[in-house]
Amino acid sequence: MPMAEDSKFWERTSLNATINIVRTVVTALIGVLMVPYYIDTLGIATYGLIPLATAMSSYIMIISDSLVSACYRYVMMSFEDDDSDKIIVTYNTALFGIGRNQLLLIPVVLLFAFLSPYMFNISGTAAFDVQMMFCLMLLSTLIVTYCSAMNSIFYAVNKLYILYAIRIFYIVVQVLLIVLLFCVSTPSLIEVGFAYLVSAFLFFLLIRHYSRRLYPGMEVDRKYYDPILFRQIGSLGAWTILKKLGKLLFIQISLILTNLYLGSVIGGGFAIVTNMISMLDTACFSITAIISPLIYRVQADKDPQVMIDVTSSYLKIVSLLCSFPIAFVLVFCPQILGAWVGDGYSDLSKLVAIAYLAELVYIVSTIVDDITIIYLKVKQVCVMTLFFGAINVVSAIVMMEVFDMGSTGVIVAWAASTSMLSLTILVYSTMLIGARPWAYLFPVFLGYAVMSVCYLVMDFLSEYVVVEPTWMSIIIWFLILFMVYLPFMIRLLNEGDRKEVMKIAPSFCKGAIATLFRYL
């Protein structure tokens, strides 16, 4: 690849990050506003069915999602080889293979939607609403997952900002449709499902249009489908399926177990906690998601030491970026819950605090997911995930049934099992690339140390500073404290870390960043 083009590839990372952060803010804002809106219009028990449907859709979609993950590897590596014939064959194989899989899943979706009221003890007229919501939401997920095959082009050319902009449009349209339908008729779960389906179809049209614009030479034709290549993809996808099954044994199963053992009211409160976890993950993934194309580009150089140095820097930067917001939530969680869902939910602060203690190591560990896929070592990670997922399920049940710890026991089991899995994956990844375990563990321990200091400082300040339970007050104090934290974070970056930051910085601000680094 020419030097100028290669430089643009890296510099697009900052634009990707900017648009993804905007997407994250929009998603978080919608999540913040929609939860109390759902509770007010549908009630806490009915609201709890919406995240439950989202969680259950993950089980139905696991085959498609796993094939998509496997397809990404082959499509992106064909782009790195710069072989147009190989790119066309790989892309068409992924597109038609996943499309066939989605068609086969339609009967499964319909059956699952029919059984959903019986699974969650819902009867009467509400049962039909639940069936329709599950059916429409699952069909929309089929459409969005199919689009993932086309998403690989955005990743390969590192123009994720277009994909993120489309996703912003997708979620905004989805919410506007829900509010509009609730305004013109009696709010119901069916209308939620309908909005999901319509927005998914619009998402498909936009992804199809822009993927063709990004690679005009791409021919989409059934004749390019390679069954042998798809069997290879399927082989990798089979282990990815089991890996994703293992991942569903974590927070998704925790939510389901809480509903089954403790009832829909407590389950609704636990759903708020899972939303808090999801929002933090989404916020931090806005940074980690842009790293995937960079890792594939580094892998193309076939230099293990470069891979070690670069990924270690990524882990450290993300760890330091995430440590502050986690500490902030730990200190000001009651105010955040008050601003978000109103009074009466402050008791959930303890659950959020326990969960967030495991979040830093989990978020950092997601960066190395691509390493295990590149080296075709998904099988080993799959075994680890299933093992610790089983520990989570058994521990959660024991906590509720034997120790009578209720939802607190469920979140403790999740936090412990998630932390152990994340640490194990980090250590295993260092073995794959020939690095010492400390190369990936140090950024995690540094992040927790920084998070502890931030917590102590902000906890001390909270005795003298009044943070009101309003979004304006929370956001202002977050920005003020983060600006104080930023210079200290920069001081912790070494020369290699700063080099990686400069590489992905846009041209117009490289000088300013270089000056900042020189004085800090």
Side-chain angles (χ1 to χ4, degrees), residues 132-157:
M132 288 301 298
M133 181 192 70
F134 269 86
C135 179
L136 295 172
M137 287 182 69
L138 291 174
L139 287 174
S140 72
T141 308
L142 280 176
I143 295 172
V144 172
T145 306
Y146 174 70
C147 294
S148 298
M150 294 179 275
N151 293 353
S152 57
I153 291 181
F154 297 90
Y155 278 85
V157 299

Side-chain angles (χ1 to χ4, degrees), residues 28 296 334 390 450 520:
Y296 276 93
V450 171
L520 293 175

Side-chain angles (χ1 to χ4, degrees), residues 3 6-7 10-11 13-14 294 298 301 303 305-314 316-317 490 492-506 509-510 513-518 520:
M3 184 64 68
D6 187 67
S7 175
W10 291 97
E11 290 180 4
T13 303
S14 56
L294 308 183
V298 172
D301 295 334
D303 189 334
Q305 189 57 49
V306 173
M307 176 69 82
I308 294 170
D309 294 341
V310 171
T311 51
S312 296
S313 290
Y314 292 158
K316 183 178 177 181
I317 294 168
I490 293 175
L492 293 172
L493 300 179
N494 59 33
E495 185 178 347
D497 304 329
R498 298 181 182 207
K499 179 181 177 182
E500 293 305 318
V501 173
M502 291 297 296
K503 188 187 297 184
I504 64 177
C509 65
K510 283 184 183 291
I513 296 175
T515 302
L516 185 64
F517 283 166
R518 192 159 51 246
L520 293 175

Side-chain angles (χ1 to χ4, degrees), residues 280 284 320-330 356 458 478 482 485:
L280 177 65
C284 294
L320 292 174
L321 279 174
C322 295
S323 58
F324 174 82
I326 292 175
F328 183 87
V329 174
L330 291 177
Y356 271 37
M458 286 188 285
F478 177 87
F482 183 75
Y485 166 74

Side-chain angles (χ1 to χ4, degrees), residues 47 59 91 105 130 156 187 213 215 239 244 255 260 265 312 326 334 353 360 380 398 450 460 517:
Y47 156 71
Y59 288 89
Y91 179 79
L105 282 174
V130 173
R213 286 189 60 179
Y215 199 87
W239 287 110
K244 288 184 178 290
L255 175 61
L260 292 177
V265 175
S312 296
I326 292 175
L360 182 62
Q380 290 77 359
V398 170
V450 171
F460 174 77
F517 283 166

